[in-house]
Amino acid sequence: MANFTRGFTGGARRGGDTRLPPGQYDTGATWPVLTAELTPTIDLETWTMTVDGLVEKPTTWDWRGIHALPSSSYFGDIHCVTTWTKFDTTFAGVSVDALLEIAKPKPEATHVMATSTTGYNTNLPLDDITGGKAWIVWEFDGKPLAPEHGGPVRLLVPHLYFWKSAKWITRIELMDHDEQGFWERNGYHDRGDPWLEQRYQGDA
Amino acid sequence: MTEAIASSWTTGTVREVERFGETYVRLRIEVADRHDHVPGQHYVVRLRAPDGYTAQRSYSLASDPADPLIELMVECLPRGEVSGFLHDVVEAGDELELRGPIGRWFVWGGEVPSLCVAGGSGVVPFISMLRYARRMGTASHLTIVASAQTRERLPYIEELEEFGAFIALTRENHGDRVAAHIYPDELAELSKGIERAYVCGSAGFVSFVGRSLGEAGVPSDIVRVEQFGATG
């Protein structure tokens, strides 16, 4: 075919913004909601967060326990595989590093599976959730994270497409191998780097 | 039926364009090197400017896998970069970059007795399921509920009526049914005997239907969801 689409200039949207990864657009003030399952109702009295698998000390935190850890926040952009990017978001919670410091990953751990209360799961290399790159968050823009956006608590891995930031997170299991999660089994990429446009299985 | 993973981009030639007022445009496209889809799957359409800038969006297929063309019904969103182009500019004979079929969760293979609940353009994947079910003789396994503000806002309404879909218009009467959102007791009646439910629509619609399905006694773990659109 021709190497461009007849009649398309892209002039309406393009701002030459270098913060937009390839194929993404700025969603502005909106925040689209995309899930595969219904939004669950989560009771904070019974909610827990567990880090287990290949760790020295499998640990479970309740709502108060996780709030007792040093707080940490993220300010920056988030990118969804459905092509929206949201600039300048603010999330607050704890760094995943703080949880792993307590649970102590074993040397053979290379990947994790993050699991939601709904059963949704997603796989990540351990390197992608350590070193200040991932958070467990419960606040967005200074307010409690809304249930449809994964509240009360979600994983936040903003340097990867947002399906990796599992909503309603309840468990991170450390593993010595990679294993596909929900969307990865259903055709999406195992890593999901927006700057490399790793959207679907088969992308480089 | 194969469940091919779409790993590369291909080219589609637009064969038919039909515009429905300001709201919808139907594109029927011939796809090179096409893989069969499963009803419920989507394609990505990518537009490319002469300087290489691209914009891409996903659209559910309305067509039966046996259809020689794929069919998209695109809702034109305000300032929609891709939908606006497809509505205003595309003509028969144009070529588009396409990738698909994609998604293996919001799909129906024909065997599982299912309830499908759609809001507005959320009906599109269910049209693919409906056409497939008719051809395979499994229409008795498919119950479709479609809601929109008015007839004009519900694409494929004639085809839905002919299929026997339950139609709930919220701003005008539909036959004997007075304008109203879907009631939980209506969903309770329609969900008898189902083993799976699919809900497709805006985030607000999906949230509303999810609560109603819960009230109707449908367990949340048999509900599959596809959402689109923006919230504030």
Side-chain angles (χ1 to χ4, degrees):
Chain A
M1 67 181 283
N3 53 11
F4 60 92
T5 313
R6 184 192 66 80
F8 182 68
T9 63
R13 282 279 191 155
R14 177 169 24 184
D17 199 322
T18 54
R19 291 191 297 164
L20 269 185
Q24 298 291 108
Y25 70 95
D26 175 8
T27 189
T30 67
W31 187 0
V33 174
L34 299 154
T35 58
E37 72 279 78
L38 294 173
T39 299
T41 305
I42 293 167
D43 182 357
L44 295 180
E45 289 301 313
T46 55
W47 175 87
T48 58
M49 174 69 212
T50 295
V51 176
D52 62 1
L54 295 174
V55 294
E56 303 292 345
K57 192 181 156 202
T59 307
T60 296
W61 293 265
D62 62 10
W63 186 247
R64 282 181 196 82
I66 204 162
H67 279 70
L69 298 172
S71 63
S72 178
S73 58
Y74 169 74
F75 176 77
D77 310 333
I78 56 177
H79 314 286
C80 177
V81 69
T82 62
T83 72
W84 57 262
T85 284
K86 188 168 175 60
F87 291 134
D88 301 333
T89 63
T90 309
F91 290 89
V94 296
S95 169
V96 170
D97 291 318
L99 306 187
L100 293 175
E101 203 172 297
I102 292 165
K104 294 186 174 49
K106 292 183 176 176
E108 61 267 34
T110 58
H111 291 78
V112 304
M113 185 69 84
T115 305
S116 304
T117 56
T118 59
Y120 175 87
N121 60 6
T122 187
N123 51 312
L124 296 128
L126 184 57
D127 283 348
D128 275 320
I129 65 161
T130 52
K133 295 196 285 285
W135 291 261
I136 303 290
V137 294
W138 48 79
E139 268 185 30
F140 172 73
D141 273 354
K143 299 193 191 82
L145 184 64
E148 64 269 26
H149 292 304
V153 186
R154 79 179 297 164
L155 180 61
L156 176 71
V157 192
H159 70 289
L160 299 179
Y161 284 127
F162 223 42
W163 87 81
K164 294 288 182 182
S165 296
K167 294 181 177 183
W168 315 301
I169 184 91
T170 190
R171 181 180 179 210
I172 293 176
E173 181 190 6
L174 281 79
M175 308 182 299
D176 62 4
H177 62 281
D178 199 6
E179 205 174 290
Q180 292 186 322
F182 175 84
W183 280 125
E184 294 81 10
R185 287 191 303 277
N186 285 293
Y188 286 73
H189 197 271
D190 283 328
R191 178 142 186 271
D193 183 338
W195 295 97
L196 301 175
E197 239 188 320
Q198 295 170 332
R199 297 179 192 274
Y200 308 112
Q201 292 287 337
D203 285 338
Chain B
M1 188 176 295
T2 60
E3 291 199 13
I5 294 169
S7 59
S8 60
W9 291 90
T10 185
T11 301
T13 306
V14 178
R15 294 298 179 202
E16 299 167 33
V17 181
E18 190 176 0
R19 297 186 165 85
F20 300 87
E22 296 294 303
T23 314
Y24 292 104
V25 58
R26 176 164 64 190
L27 303 176
R28 290 183 46 83
I29 305 170
E30 186 177 339
V31 180
D33 307 320
R34 190 177 125 195
H35 296 282
D36 283 351
H37 69 273
V38 183
Q41 288 190 299
H42 63 268
Y43 265 64
V44 180
V45 176
R46 181 163 72 184
L47 308 180
R48 183 179 295 274
D51 66 354
Y53 169 82
T54 61
Q56 63 185 49
R57 298 290 185 279
S58 297
Y59 297 106
S60 292
L61 293 167
S63 39
D64 181 358
D67 193 324
L69 304 178
I70 64 159
E71 180 171 324
L72 309 178
M73 178 71 85
V74 177
E75 180 172 15
C76 302
L77 303 175
R79 292 173 289 110
E81 184 180 21
V82 178
S83 65
F85 175 85
L86 297 176
H87 187 75
D88 296 340
V89 180
V90 163
E91 297 169 4
D94 281 346
E95 291 188 331
L96 294 172
E97 285 182 67
L98 298 173
R99 185 174 186 180
I102 289 169
R104 278 178 263 153
W105 169 249
F106 201 82
V107 293
W108 184 69
E111 303 84 11
V112 182
S114 298
L115 173 70
C116 304
V117 188
S121 62
V123 81
V124 174
F126 302 141
I127 296 299
S128 181
M129 296 181 191
L130 172 166
R131 292 174 177 179
Y132 175 68
R134 283 189 138 172
R135 178 168 59 83
M136 302 301 284
T138 57
S140 62
H141 282 178
L142 201 62
T143 303
I144 298 180
V145 179
S147 183
Q149 293 176 349
T150 61
R151 284 189 77 86
E152 279 66 40
R153 303 290 296 186
L154 186 57
Y156 300 107
I157 186 165
E158 288 85 9
E159 193 167 343
L160 290 163
E161 286 170 336
E162 197 188 335
F163 185 76
F166 184 91
I167 292 170
L169 301 179
T170 60
R171 293 201 183 164
E172 59 190 40
N173 297 346
H174 181 259
D176 295 339
R177 189 181 183 282
V178 174
H181 287 285
I182 303 165
Y183 292 106
D185 61 327
E186 291 173 328
L187 285 178
E189 185 64 29
L190 293 159
S191 61
K192 280 179 183 164
I194 62 159
E195 293 169 23
R196 193 179 292 160
Y198 297 87
V199 185
C200 187
S202 67
F205 179 82
V206 167
S207 170
F208 169 76
V209 171
R211 282 202 306 276
S212 301
L213 286 173
E215 285 178 43
V218 176
S220 62
D221 61 359
I222 70 164
V223 181
R224 298 186 180 197
V225 163
E226 190 150 281
Q227 292 159 90
F228 51 79
T231 61

